Amino acid sequence: MHTIWRIIEFLKFYFKAKTLYNIHSPFLFDFLENISDVNKSYYEFDRIEHVRTQLINNHNTLTINDQGARSSIKNLNERTISSICKLSTSGEKKCRLIYNIVKFLKPKSVVELGTNLGIATSYIQIADRSVSVHTVDADKGLLALAQQIFSYNKLPILTYNMTFEAFFTAHKQVLSDSDLVYIDGNHTYEGTMTAFREATQSIKDRKVLIFDDIYWSKDMKRAWIEICKDVSSGYSIDLYIIGIVIINNDKGQNENIKFIPWKYKPFSNGLLG
């Protein structure tokens, strides 16, 4: 039933989604054009993907302290590193998308809620070596593996072994000072809405939030819809695999769009829709 629901949601998304030919905002056009090319490869990717391959081939087990709905395997805490890497980490194309977003927006400080094995975190850091990256995960075993990966790639990423709620309390200033928050660790309605409210308590000029798997479940879709309604000034961009919120208090209104690259919808050329 869940699979059927996701197929229906994707079809609804697909037929409503715009391509670049339908985008009129100069900023939005430039942003989407620059982040959409996930086929472009850089030599830095190879080192991270080499680590991913090693993790996929690692069949040692970990007991996972999963705080959210991030796994499709129910009631199973003992998992191999291989299965975690295959099922719970962001794929290479999604990582490249996150890389492109960071590279284009050039934030000074990024907070990632949900480290997992640190693959996506590594892509965030290499997108801009000068950015301060903070990543949070409640699972000690996962974070220890991620720290090894950061060390191997010589990435100065700051790690926090605690629940998101504890991080919100203990490191409120870190969250407040961040320009970009990547929410990828609690795929529940309550967890997503709490992270959104905490991340948007203090906004100076612009704040960017990336929500992973907004069509993971009905609860995640519900959270995304409410978040889009709550944003009064900026952009809410539905890419299906992720949702991006760019809060810009100077804009004066919120543009809410679904977007798909033109190559996946070639008949959408601005004339035919």
Side-chain angles (χ1 to χ4, degrees):
M1 183 65 77
H2 182 67
T3 301
I4 294 173
W5 177 83
R6 292 189 73 173
I7 291 171
I8 292 170
E9 288 300 317
F10 175 76
L11 291 173
K12 286 160 64 175
F13 162 83
Y14 181 84
F15 287 109
K16 291 180 180 179
K18 296 181 178 181
T19 67
L20 280 176
Y21 289 102
N22 308 110
I23 305 298
H24 303 295
S25 161
F27 167 79
L28 203 54
F29 184 95
D30 194 26
F31 174 67
L32 292 170
E33 183 180 40
N34 277 277
I35 71 169
S36 296
D37 186 2
V38 294
N39 293 315
K40 191 181 294 183
S41 184
Y42 300 94
Y43 75 91
E44 291 178 303
F45 295 174
D46 295 337
R47 192 173 177 90
I48 299 174
E49 290 307 315
H50 174 68
V51 170
R52 188 198 298 272
T53 300
Q54 290 181 319
L55 292 170
I56 288 173
N57 292 320
N58 187 335
H59 297 285
N60 293 328
T61 59
L62 285 177
T63 300
I64 303 301
N65 177 24
D66 200 341
Q67 299 291 313
R70 60 195 295 174
S71 174
S72 60
I73 302 176
K74 301 300 182 182
N75 303 316
L76 183 60
N77 293 323
E78 194 79 15
R79 298 174 60 191
T80 65
I81 294 170
S82 175
S83 69
I84 295 168
C85 191
K86 288 177 182 177
L87 299 174
S88 302
T89 60
S90 297
E92 185 175 358
K93 287 196 173 182
K94 185 186 286 186
C95 286
R96 290 185 181 193
L97 177 61
I98 301 299
Y99 172 95
N100 289 344
I101 292 170
V102 174
K103 199 162 188 68
F104 180 85
L105 293 175
K106 295 179 171 43
K108 294 179 180 178
S109 178
V110 175
V111 168
E112 178 191 43
L113 299 175
T115 313
N116 198 268
L117 292 172
I119 300 294
T121 328
S122 300
Y123 272 88
I124 291 171
Q125 184 70 81
I126 66 170
D128 186 344
R129 295 277 180 170
S130 67
V131 69
S132 177
V133 180
H134 307 258
T135 187
V136 188
D137 205 294
D139 191 275
K140 188 175 182 179
L142 285 175
L143 200 60
L145 274 174
Q147 288 169 332
Q148 291 178 30
I149 292 166
F150 303 153
S151 177
Y152 172 77
N153 287 303
K154 299 179 181 179
L155 302 175
I157 294 167
L158 299 168
T159 60
Y160 303 79
N161 182 209
M162 57 181 64
T163 64
F164 300 159
E165 291 76 11
F167 178 79
F168 298 151
T169 301
H171 301 283
K172 192 174 288 290
Q173 195 61 45
V174 173
L175 193 62
S176 175
D177 291 343
S178 64
D179 307 293
L180 189 152
V181 181
Y182 181 30
I183 301 167
D184 181 27
N186 189 333
H187 287 33
T188 64
Y189 169 81
E190 293 81 6
T192 302
M193 293 305 299
T194 298
F196 170 69
R197 294 188 190 103
E198 291 288 343
T200 55
Q201 279 191 14
S202 176
I203 301 174
K204 296 171 184 176
D205 299 314
R206 182 180 74 183
K207 191 96 166 187
V208 180
L209 297 95
I210 302 173
F211 297 89
D212 190 65
D213 287 331
I214 56 175
Y215 290 94
W216 174 265
S217 64
K218 292 180 181 179
D219 276 354
M220 280 298 294
K221 184 187 175 186
R222 175 185 163 208
W224 173 250
I225 290 171
E226 290 189 22
I227 288 165
C228 291
K229 289 180 180 177
D230 192 81
V231 177
S232 59
S233 182
Y235 304 90
S236 304
I237 307 163
D238 178 351
L239 301 181
Y240 190 76
I241 59 171
I242 62 171
I244 307 169
V245 169
I246 303 174
I247 300 174
N248 183 346
N249 291 329
D250 294 330
K251 190 172 181 297
Q253 62 177 349
N254 182 45
E255 289 189 44
N256 186 2
I257 72 158
K258 300 178 188 297
F259 175 79
I260 193 169
W262 179 79
K263 66 179 179 179
Y264 298 118
K265 198 174 179 181
F267 58 84
S268 181
N269 56 13
L271 298 174
L272 300 177

